[in-house]
Structures are given as structure tokens and as C-alpha cells.
């Protein structure tokens, strides 16, 4: 525990933590940007698909009135797909569409709405989410045109999970790398300190440990050896006091 405490207090570990924090923020920003843009793109595509459905239904309503709109909605409701339709009379009674009734909690005001509805699948009845637009027609009739967005919700959950895993792995690997780097540096510092104490205690055969890389730790060890042992220091990986 004492060694671990010293390890966590080293400058190299603190620098590694600073780098890890910066790197994690950068990764989170990039992944968040990708997630945000992906969500916006999928939502925009859904809205554009619904708008295209609405344009076609509006044309049918203008050319043939409510009866033609009803026939068109009934025909489209028979086609398999993700589209949802519902046409109701002023009392809320279903006239046509593939929704059983107006979803609970939906306001009578026209506009975009999201709601849950029940879908019969091969695995039984399931609850899905839909996004739609609600229209008020002449005579207080109401029309709902939308899309099943359950697959989009699942994709959103997968993206969120991937984002969380990516950040978690970044933190774990970053902390592991910081501890490993700090441990190696601490081992070199302790070796140099031990050699210094040995030489100062009179062990003239003592040598400063160098690994030959020429890095700052090698230069520090060589400088300490020169000052403590007063010996020549050029071009040697292991420096002897008696040299």
C-alpha cells in the first residue's frame, strides 16, 4: 500500500491523469458530436418520410374530399410497413387506418406528437413508439399520419451504450497506462536514489544505473554520479566511481 501511495503521488502519474482527462474530454466531444448528428439525421429522415405521406394524402383530400381520403387511408393501411394512419370523426370514432383508436394523452391541437401503441407481431402483441402529425379537418374530423420509430429508439440505445463503453474503456486503459508508466519511472528513481545513498555511504565501487537511452533520467543519473563520485562520465552506460 505504501508503494502504491508513492506511485499515485508521482509527477508522472499526475501528468498521466491530466492527459487522460484531456483525452477523455476529447473522445467524449467527438463521440457526442457523432451521436448528436446521427440522431438528428435519423429524426430528419423520419420527418421527411411523414411529410411525403402527408403531401400525398393532402392531394387526395383536395381532389376528392373526405370520402376519397378515407379510401386512400384504408388502402395504405393494408400495406405492410412502418407507417401509421388514423382518421376519426368528431366523436373520436375510428373511420379508417391501422391504429385502433386515438392514443391516450394526445391533445386535439394539430402538430407533431409521439405516442405508444400496440402492434401484433409474430411474438405476440408489443408496445411500440410512433411519431406522427395530427391534422384537424373540416367538420372536426381528425387525421393522424406517422411512422413507427421503435427501431430508431433501439438504435439510439445502441449508440448510447457504445458511447458509454468507449468512455469506460478510455478511462480504464488510460489509468492502467498511467500506473504502468509511473511504476517504471518510480523504479528508476528509486534505483538512482539507492545508488546515490550507497556511494555517499562510502561504497566506491557503486555505480549509477543507466539504461543507455540518453533520456532525462540517464542524464540525471550521470550528473549525480559526477558530483558524488567525481569521476569521468562520458560515453558509459554503467559508471564506476573508481574509473
Amino acid at each position: 500500500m505504501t508503494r502504491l501511495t508513492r506511485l499515485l503521488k508521482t509527477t508522472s502519474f499526475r501528468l498521466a491523469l491530466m492527459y487522460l482527462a484531456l483525452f477523455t474530454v476529447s473522445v467524449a466531444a467527438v463521440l457526442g458530436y457523432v451521436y448528436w448528428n446521427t440522431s438528428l439525421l435519423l429524426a430528419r429522415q423520419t420527418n421527411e418520410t411523414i411529410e411525403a405521406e402527408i403531401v400525398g394524402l393532402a392531394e387526395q383530400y383536395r381532389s376528392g374530399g373526405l370520402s376519397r381520403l378515407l379510401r386512400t387511408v384504408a388502402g395504405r393501411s393494408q400495406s405492410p410497413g412502418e407507417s401509421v394512419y388514423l382518421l376519426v370523426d368528431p366523436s373520436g370514432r375510428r373511420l379508417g387506418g391501422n391504429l385502433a383508436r386515438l392514443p391516450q394523452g394526445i391533445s386535439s391541437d394539430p402538430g407533431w406528437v409521439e405516442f405508444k401503441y400496440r402492434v401484433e407481431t409474430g411474438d405476440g402483441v408489443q408496445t411500440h413508439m410512433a411519431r406522427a402529425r395530427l391534422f384537424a379537418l373540416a367538420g372536426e374530423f381528425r387525421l393522424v399520419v406517422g411512422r413507427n420509430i421503435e427501431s430508431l429508439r433501439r438504435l439510439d440505445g445502441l449508440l448510447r451504450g457504445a458511447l458509454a463503453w468507449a468512455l469506460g474503456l478510455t478511462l480504464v486503459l488510460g489509468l492502467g497506462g498511467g500506473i504502468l508508466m509511473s511504476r517504471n519511472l518510480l523504479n528508476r528513481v528509486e534505483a538512482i536514489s539507492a545508488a546515490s545513498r550507497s556511494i555517499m555511504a562510502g561504497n566506491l565501487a557503486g555505480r549509477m544505473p543507466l539504461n543507455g537511452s540518453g533520456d532525462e533520467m540517464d542524464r540525471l543519473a550521470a550528473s549525480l554520479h559526477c558530483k558524488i563520485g567525481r569521476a569521468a562520465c562520458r560515453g558509459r552506460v554503467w559508471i564506476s566511481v573508481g574509473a
Side-chain angles (χ1 to χ4, degrees):
M1 180 61 70
T2 302
R3 180 175 175 81
L4 179 60
T5 301
R6 294 203 309 271
L7 179 66
L8 298 179
K9 291 182 177 180
T10 59
T11 301
S12 61
F13 184 74
R14 293 174 180 172
L15 290 175
L17 284 182
M18 293 175 60
Y19 175 77
L20 175 61
L22 179 62
F23 184 72
T24 301
V25 170
S26 301
V27 170
V30 172
L31 294 180
Y33 177 77
V34 172
Y35 166 75
W36 180 66
N37 277 276
T38 302
S39 298
L40 284 181
L41 175 62
L42 294 176
R44 188 181 303 117
Q45 289 179 341
T46 300
N47 290 348
E48 289 175 353
T49 302
I50 295 173
E51 292 288 356
E53 293 270 4
I54 291 170
V55 169
L57 292 175
E59 180 62 29
Q60 297 296 319
Y61 183 63
R62 283 194 297 268
S63 61
L66 186 63
S67 60
R68 186 166 184 177
L69 174 63
L70 180 57
R71 290 195 300 270
T72 304
V73 168
R76 292 189 179 186
S77 298
Q78 301 301 317
S79 303
E82 302 297 320
S83 297
V84 294
Y85 308 95
L86 180 64
L87 179 62
V88 298
D89 63 15
S91 65
R93 183 173 60 90
R94 175 180 174 273
L95 299 178
N98 51 13
L99 291 178
R101 60 181 180 276
L102 275 176
Q104 295 180 354
I106 289 185
S107 169
S108 58
D109 297 331
W112 288 100
V113 293
E114 290 190 2
F115 55 87
K116 294 181 179 180
Y117 71 105
R118 300 171 70 84
V119 179
E120 293 187 4
T121 66
D123 299 326
V125 179
Q126 298 180 354
T127 300
H128 286 189
M129 180 69 72
R131 177 170 174 80
R133 282 192 68 177
L134 175 64
F135 291 90
L137 306 178
E140 298 185 359
F141 289 87
R142 283 176 289 175
L143 173 67
V144 176
V145 182
R147 296 280 293 178
N148 184 332
I149 59 172
E150 190 65 26
S151 59
L152 298 183
R153 294 183 67 201
R154 293 174 182 172
L155 178 60
D156 184 78
L158 290 175
L159 290 175
R160 288 174 181 268
L163 179 60
W165 272 104
L167 292 178
L169 287 175
T170 298
L171 289 173
V172 170
L173 295 177
L175 284 175
I179 291 175
L180 180 62
M181 181 180 64
S182 301
R183 186 184 66 178
N184 292 337
L185 183 58
L186 183 60
N187 288 338
R188 295 187 65 185
V189 170
E190 289 182 343
I192 293 173
S193 298
S196 300
R197 290 193 298 270
S198 176
I199 295 172
M200 293 178 67
N203 180 17
L204 300 182
R207 294 173 173 82
M208 282 290 180
L210 306 179
N211 63 9
S213 64
D215 61 6
E216 62 275 9
M217 296 302 296
D218 270 8
R219 294 195 298 272
L220 175 61
S223 178
L224 287 173
H225 183 77
C226 289
K227 291 183 179 297
I228 296 174
R230 299 179 182 278
C233 305
R234 294 182 181 177
R236 300 185 183 181
V237 175
W238 290 88
I239 305 174
S240 174
V241 174

